[in-house]
Amino acid sequence: MIYGKLPVVFLSVIASEKNGSTNSVIASYLLEHMEEVKNLGIKEMAERCHVGLGSVSRFCKDIGLEDFVELKELLRTTEMDFQEYSSEASSAGRAADYEKKIVRSVRMVTRTISVRKIAELCRDLRTYEKVAAFGLLKAECAAIHFQGDMLMLGRQVYTNVSYDQQIRYIMEAGRNSLILIFSYTGAYFEYHREPFFSGRPKKEWPRIWMISGRQDTFPEYVTKVLDFQSPQDQSGHPYQLLCAAGLITQEYAREDGVS
């Protein structure tokens, strides 16, 4: 994994919430004091953040947890690990080594991604009435990149930085919607525990494409997977997803005769 579940969730809250909001304050404190919080009770946690007990409980619910106890348990199993890629003494040498890692990861995409599936996805992009693209943190960069390119090609695509808003959109989407999920590790849906499309027949579900470096099994509501070989480390993220997004829009432009 590139990073654990909780850092991703906390950073997503900070990125999407209004600065100074209760959830943003709590998430910021947790990221800055992860070791300390492991030994705090909910009352002390609330005091440290200058919020009420109810605010801490609501925060836990908002990020998909049962309660503060589950939050503390996840904190105990979460590790922060930044990867370095060079032991070169000079800055130029370290830069060269990092460049090699990025180039290698991009080449893995162009050499292993399915051209046939890209063409199929482009057909869906022309067919479906509503199109959205989502991702978490670095992966959302690829979604925004995709959105910008598609706008230049005359096709509007919806996206939103907030994971909560992304999930709401997906759960309310119907069969006329096409949704692209950019997820480097393929773990996008693991951050949400509630069942999707409960009680709705499959024919009413949106069509969901997962663009991912993990070649594995996915939830049943993922219709198609556009995957590629990946080092699954920080050197490939988000560069591999950005490359995949670019390949999709380039193919879309070619098939539409855009010069």
Side-chain angles (χ1 to χ4, degrees):
M1 293 292 289
I2 306 307
Y3 23 54
K5 174 179 179 178
L6 284 183
V8 170
V9 172
F10 296 159
L11 287 171
S12 177
V13 169
I14 293 169
S16 58
E17 291 271 349
K18 183 179 179 181
N19 185 37
S21 69
T22 299
N23 278 356
S24 178
V25 168
I26 295 173
S28 296
Y29 186 88
L30 286 165
L31 280 175
E32 293 173 8
H33 305 88
M34 289 182 68
E35 287 301 318
E36 296 176 34
V37 175
K38 293 177 183 179
N39 300 311
L40 295 182
I42 186 171
K43 182 177 180 181
E44 191 172 4
M45 175 67 190
E47 291 174 353
R48 295 280 186 93
C49 294
H50 306 289
V51 300
L53 293 176
S55 295
V56 177
S57 295
R58 281 193 297 273
F59 173 82
C60 294
K61 296 286 186 182
D62 287 346
I63 64 173
L65 304 180
E66 288 293 331
D67 50 31
F68 187 69
V69 174
E70 184 177 3
L71 172 63
K72 286 185 63 176
E73 183 58 35
L74 283 174
L75 283 170
R76 292 191 185 98
T77 59
T78 296
E79 296 181 0
M80 304 288 273
D81 179 31
F82 182 82
Q83 297 175 326
E84 294 186 63
Y85 296 107
S86 178
S87 58
E88 289 288 332
S90 70
S91 297
R94 291 193 295 274
D97 283 351
Y98 190 53
E99 176 191 33
K100 290 176 184 177
K101 285 281 188 179
I102 295 173
V103 170
R104 173 176 171 268
S105 70
V106 170
R107 282 177 177 166
M108 290 177 74
V109 177
T110 59
R111 294 176 180 180
T112 62
I113 200 166
S114 170
V115 176
R116 177 186 59 78
K117 285 187 177 180
I118 290 177
E120 183 180 356
L121 175 51
C122 287
R123 287 194 293 272
D124 284 347
L125 286 169
R126 288 189 293 273
T127 301
Y128 278 79
E129 180 182 343
K130 298 178 181 178
V131 179
F134 300 127
L136 270 170
L137 296 180
K138 290 183 179 181
E140 177 63 16
C141 293
I144 294 172
H145 171 58
F146 175 77
Q147 180 192 44
D149 278 359
M150 291 301 293
L151 179 62
M152 298 301 172
L153 293 168
R155 186 71 161 94
Q156 285 195 357
V157 173
Y158 173 77
T159 193
N160 196 306
V161 173
S162 167
Y163 184 61
D164 180 62
Q165 292 298 317
Q166 293 178 19
I167 293 299
R168 287 174 185 269
Y169 182 98
I170 294 171
M171 295 186 76
E172 293 173 2
R175 61 181 179 179
N176 293 325
S177 294
L178 172 67
I179 301 172
L180 281 64
I181 303 295
F182 290 91
S183 179
Y184 186 58
T185 63
Y188 180 89
F189 289 105
E190 294 176 14
Y191 297 94
H192 184 79
R193 63 172 58 194
E194 294 180 21
F196 282 80
F197 319 125
S198 179
R200 290 168 56 186
K202 283 190 176 182
K203 64 180 181 179
E204 297 297 328
W205 293 3
R207 186 169 177 83
I208 299 177
W209 276 82
M210 176 77 79
I211 296 93
S212 174
R214 189 186 77 174
Q215 301 175 35
D216 206 340
T217 57
F218 294 91
E220 63 173 342
Y221 36 82
V222 173
T223 315
K224 290 282 185 175
V225 178
L226 178 63
D227 57 10
F228 44 82
Q229 289 185 6
S230 170
Q232 288 295 285
D233 61 19
Q234 291 175 358
S235 70
H237 194 31
Y239 308 107
Q240 286 198 312
L241 291 176
L242 289 168
C243 179
L247 291 172
I248 294 167
T249 53
Q250 286 293 317
E251 182 65 15
Y252 184 90
R254 188 193 68 81
E255 293 190 2
D256 269 23
V258 177
S259 57

